[in-house]
Amino acid sequence: MSAERYNPREMEPHWQNVWNQNQSFIARNDDPRERYYVLEMFPYPSGRIHMGHVRNYAMGDVLARYHRAQGKNVLHPMGWDAFGLPAENAAIERKQNPGPWTRQNIASMREQLKSMGLSIDWTREIATCEPDYYQHQQALFIDFLAAGLITRKKSKVNWDPVDMTVLANEQVIDGKGWRSGAPVEQRELTQWFFKISDYADELLAGLDGLEQWPEKVRLMQRNWIGKSEGLRLLFEIAQGSETGATSIDVFTTRPDTIFGASFLALSPDHPLTGQLAATDPALATFVDECHSLGTSTEALEKAEKRGYLTHLTVKHPVIEGATLPVYVANFVLMDYGTGAVFGCPAHDQRDLDFARKYDLEVNPVVLPPGADAAGFVIANEAYDEAGTIFNSEFLDGLSIEDAKRAATAFFAERTVDGRPQGTVEINFRLRDWGISRQRYWGCPIPVIHCEVCGTQPVPKKDLPVILPEDVSFDQPGNALDHHPTWKNTTCHQCGGAARRETDTMDTFVDSSWYFARFTAPQATTPTDPKAASAWLPVDQYIGGVEHAILHLLYSRFFTRAMQKTGHVAVAEPFKGLFTQGMVTHETYKSAAGDWVLPTEVLIEVHGEKRTAKRLGTDAPLTIGSIEKMSKSKKNVVDPDEIVATYGADTARWFMLSDSPPERDVQWTEAGVEGASRFQQRVWRLVGETAALNEQSKDIVVKKDDKEAVVLRKTTHRAVHAISDEIEGLRFNRAVAQVYELTNALVRAAGVMAAAPESRLDALHDGVSRLVQVIAPMMPHLAETCWAALGHQGLVADAPWPEVDPSLLIDDEIIIPVQINGKRRGELNVARGTPRADLEQQVLSLDVIVRMLEGKAPKKLVIVPDRIVNVVI
RNA sequence: GCGGGCGUGGUGGAAUGGUAGACACACAGGACUUAAAAUCCUGAGAGGGUAUCCUCGUGCGGGUUCGAGUCCCGCCGCCCGCACCA
């Protein structure tokens, strides 16, 4: 055994080769063992992997390798989310097709991922931009269409003026496009929609069963779906029947406050508003103003509540002879409920603001507990908490909940326009998912438009509808639409001329089912239902929390749609979800204000002060805040360089140590060097152990002495703890346990000379187990050590070390002794020492005797095997 | 505004209501070396006594408990999500 330093540059490619030749990580669908499907969110092929990928895939790989060692049939695949705008924008810049660009990126990122030594089944690799993937997506689209899960409708949509495409509601963040950051405009277009809102209730209820999801994500989805139960209430028109309308539908969750109603408000987009505006130029102007303001949410937020008083009035539904004015108000959304509301200013802040502005009545009808009915007035704050109904005739004295029921029942009995005046209605915030994108680089929607036969799906036998690659990006807009011939086709029904749909699908469709495709990536149908039902749901899915709503909600809907159309057997795609934190780094700025790459920075440490200067020029630099790694701030570290300098294992180890995986981790040079030192430390320990073995091969190993037993206990305890931490995805704690075990083994190896013949086996066994438990995290190092220790075969194929339960318990334990809750001493006793014996021993302790000063303790709390507290 | 999370040494962070600060990074001192790197050993929450002892200490203020970083109530600060949703 040589004392040479471990050389990852040499060993890492070697073991990657061995694993590859051994086909160590190929999952077989006919393998009868228990299955485990671990998946990390697949990357967008931007060209280079970043540290966020390293962290994400290191975590997934630990689980994959751990569960494989547990004897499971592990599926750990990788693919590429390859359609999308960056490729198209790059193509426009370079005037070349996104296809070759994307495929090149995939090739180089694949090599980078392989250099990380991930235990991935590369035979299952898929790329969403290839026809062998997207043709199945087109087949799914056709099935969904036939099953009534897709509609085509004209509606207001979010238009991103920079990316020149439509966006789904989920893709509009703070009124801006999620990708371009441009303020989103409203446009009316005919678009394809997935009817996700049909599943709103089911998607909401399903969240309760997702026990292995972070509560935070479940909450975000709950809020996004936004279920609210209320009443659809009809207000009879008193004045204004010349419009032809005889009533206005309103949605409310507070029918209990109906006696406090003082006005009605219509959305500027309400059909009745349009009708009125046709003959009322002032109203038309008002509506236009609302629209010009209404493009960005920011503007909305600051916008004052404004209204326009129409000449319409409605009958108050419960106060005989009273009428209410009808306004058009800028704060009423056409999207939600019925696009019309009744205002009860006393109990809704927004209504109150409006009422104060237009001098409308404020009639309180909910009395706070303990308040005086005569003296209760509303000032500038609406009262929206619990109370008793008053000023409300037949509802008086009821609680809010009871009054809601009573009012609901009351209106259900009455009729307006031959309809019940009130019907229970449930509203959701969730809108249908608009998937049409006016972009080239996406999955073509498999539909044709025929003048005679209408819009119809492409027959499945004609799939795939291939995305042509001979397109030009000379003009702005959708290159597919500009293609000279592609969109011309013939109608398969009448044989006449027809036009292909030139919109492509939102790329979130691509990522909504890739996890299912991985279970049988060569199947001639979208899935092999047998394989899909065997593997799904994914046992552990890992990715960034930024997908908490978009991708994860779409995938949950899509899985249900696939279930309905017979492609999968489950409703929920991901049994366990883990959202990992980001990778951050310090930022550096030059005197001129330019960001500077960490590789160009030299950090100097003077005691506790750190200063930075530019490598080469020695120009002083400012050390800035710690932020998420981003190209714009240049605080990025290239994984390739780290792998070349320290090796993949070091990068993986560092990513897993220190910070809890769900939190952000700060990348530091010092941290990486620490990880690298640890790698060498393990290697030295293995070298010493192997050398001791070699020197002592003629020695007859004697029975364990006391030290050896201690060492075995330490080992078994550590293995037990590490297994537990890995299963719970607490990798930082697993790492800490590994450090402790290593420290113990290094110490033991150092004092071996004293009695090698009775400790050798315990040491060798301990070091071997150490190597096994670090294998999921530093797989290359582990293989090298495994071989150096003289083990046959690969550690990647070795079963996880078993733990001897008898070694986990100590016979002798130390019990802390407290006086008044403060630790004052300890007791060394045998495990299971009974209460009475403990009491006697505690009372004879020097400290206790001294502190008691001859008096008896007030109280003695004894928890056997745990703690003793003496109260004096 | 609504909802959720977090707050512990110089730093990242440990701690089923039971010895606060595991483990690591950084730092200081020492050993080895011609020297450096590497490695090994030692120290360290703060303050005092300088021995093995005492006091204070987990954002702030209360409470429950024999015992609270942990549970409850009220504040302060930071982060995230949603936001005119009737």
Side-chain angles (χ1 to χ4, degrees), chain A residues 589-830:
Chain A
K589 234 179 189 177
S590 73
D594 307 317
W595 300 106
V596 181
L597 282 167
T599 45
E600 295 168 8
V601 175
L602 179 71
I603 300 284
E604 286 176 334
V605 181
H606 322 275
E608 277 177 13
K609 267 177 76 182
R610 294 169 72 246
T611 54
K613 58 187 188 184
R614 196 189 277 266
L615 272 178
T617 68
D618 281 359
L621 300 171
T622 320
I623 300 178
S625 57
I626 296 155
E627 305 204 35
K628 181 190 178 179
M629 282 191 182
S630 76
K631 279 180 199 154
S632 61
K633 294 199 170 149
K634 288 200 176 173
N635 60 337
V636 287
V637 173
D638 182 7
D640 264 3
E641 283 178 31
I642 298 299
V643 170
T645 315
Y646 300 99
D649 284 341
T650 297
R652 295 168 57 126
W653 182 254
F654 178 63
M655 280 283 118
L656 297 166
S657 50
D658 283 354
S659 290
E662 67 279 9
R663 280 199 229 167
D664 291 354
V665 65
Q666 190 193 344
W667 183 273
T668 61
E669 278 302 302
V672 181
E673 271 163 23
S676 179
R677 276 201 299 274
F678 177 68
Q679 179 172 257
Q680 297 298 343
R681 186 170 157 86
V682 171
W683 178 239
R684 276 197 310 277
L685 172 64
V686 166
E688 282 168 38
T689 307
L692 275 168
N693 251 2
E694 182 63 23
Q695 292 158 18
S696 322
K697 63 179 175 225
D698 299 330
I699 294 180
V700 178
V701 173
K702 290 191 195 152
K703 195 169 167 291
D704 284 359
D705 66 0
K706 204 177 157 202
E707 290 298 313
V709 172
V710 169
L711 195 57
R712 285 195 199 276
K713 281 185 173 176
T714 306
T715 306
H716 280 248
R717 261 176 232 166
V719 170
H720 181 70
I722 291 162
S723 311
D724 205 51
E725 305 293 15
I726 290 177
E727 276 175 40
L729 283 80
R730 296 176 294 263
F731 305 115
N732 58 319
R733 279 157 60 170
V735 164
Q737 294 281 348
V738 168
Y739 274 117
E740 282 193 71
L741 175 58
T742 309
N743 292 344
L745 290 166
V746 167
R747 248 177 273 126
V751 296
M752 273 293 280
E757 68 284 359
S758 50
R759 291 176 194 171
L760 200 62
D761 190 58
L763 179 71
H764 190 264
D765 183 63
V767 174
S768 297
R769 281 168 198 265
L770 170 71
V771 167
Q772 283 186 281
V773 295
I774 63 169
M777 308 175 209
M778 296 201 281
H780 312 88
L781 174 70
E783 292 292 3
T784 315
C785 295
W786 191 246
L789 287 168
H791 293 286
Q792 296 300 306
L794 296 172
V795 72
D797 294 332
W800 194 251
E802 283 186 19
V803 170
D804 178 351
S806 70
L807 290 172
L808 298 181
I809 330 157
D810 249 331
D811 302 333
E812 287 273 301
I813 52 172
I814 295 167
I815 295 184
V817 176
Q818 299 179 327
I819 295 172
N820 292 343
K822 278 196 176 164
R823 184 188 166 278
R824 295 293 158 164
E826 55 191 35
L827 223 48
N828 226 319
V829 296

Side-chain angles (χ1 to χ4, degrees), chain A residues 191-423:
Chain A
Q191 300 275 288
W192 290 99
F193 287 86
F194 282 176
K195 291 163 80 177
I196 190 170
S197 63
D198 284 2
Y199 284 81
D201 233 338
E202 219 189 289
L203 289 167
L204 184 68
L207 290 170
D208 293 335
L210 297 175
E211 283 155 21
Q212 293 175 46
W213 279 41
E215 188 52 37
K216 179 191 162 87
V217 174
R218 292 201 281 173
L219 238 140
M220 282 166 69
Q221 292 212 352
R222 240 174 238 131
N223 292 339
W224 189 263
I225 295 167
K227 181 178 183 171
S228 72
E229 293 177 53
L231 191 68
R232 177 186 280 257
L233 188 57
L234 268 53
F235 283 75
E236 230 177 310
I237 289 181
Q239 186 187 314
S241 52
E242 81 284 350
T243 55
T246 53
S247 64
I248 297 172
D249 286 36
V250 158
F251 176 73
T252 179
T253 55
R254 295 295 301 272
D256 53 306
T257 63
I258 188 65
F259 281 92
S262 51
F263 67 94
L264 225 71
L266 300 174
S267 162
D269 301 315
H270 197 281
L272 193 53
T273 306
Q275 221 176 314
L276 293 168
T279 56
D280 183 347
L283 175 57
T285 310
F286 175 78
V287 169
D288 282 348
E289 280 170 18
C290 291
H291 284 157
S292 67
L293 250 170
T295 47
S296 92
T297 347
E298 273 174 307
L300 273 178
E301 208 173 306
K302 289 173 195 129
E304 204 182 346
K305 310 228 169 332
R306 292 182 59 210
Y308 179 90
L309 182 63
T310 69
H311 73 279
L312 260 60
T313 60
V314 292
K315 290 183 185 164
H316 197 300
V318 283
I319 301 177
E320 203 58 48
T323 59
L324 300 173
V326 176
Y327 284 81
V328 173
N330 62 347
F331 63 84
V332 183
L333 307 172
M334 191 58 221
D335 271 8
Y336 189 79
T338 60
V341 297
F342 81 74
C344 175
H347 305 293
D348 182 289
Q349 191 58 45
R350 198 187 37 208
D351 293 348
L352 183 63
D353 295 345
F354 191 80
R356 293 290 184 225
K357 178 158 179 159
Y358 294 101
D359 208 17
L360 297 162
E361 279 181 57
V362 178
N363 304 319
V365 291
V366 180
L367 192 63
D372 170 36
F376 181 62
V377 283
I378 297 288
N380 290 319
E381 224 168 289
Y383 182 76
D384 57 6
E385 284 164 63
T388 311
I389 306 294
F390 74 130
N391 295 338
S392 297
E393 300 178 15
F394 64 93
L395 297 176
D396 281 353
L398 297 178
S399 70
I400 289 174
E401 283 315 307
D402 288 344
K404 278 184 185 174
R405 273 189 286 276
T408 302
F410 174 82
F411 290 120
E413 291 294 308
R414 304 207 327 191
T415 54
V416 169
D417 283 353
R419 289 191 287 157
Q421 186 170 19
T423 39

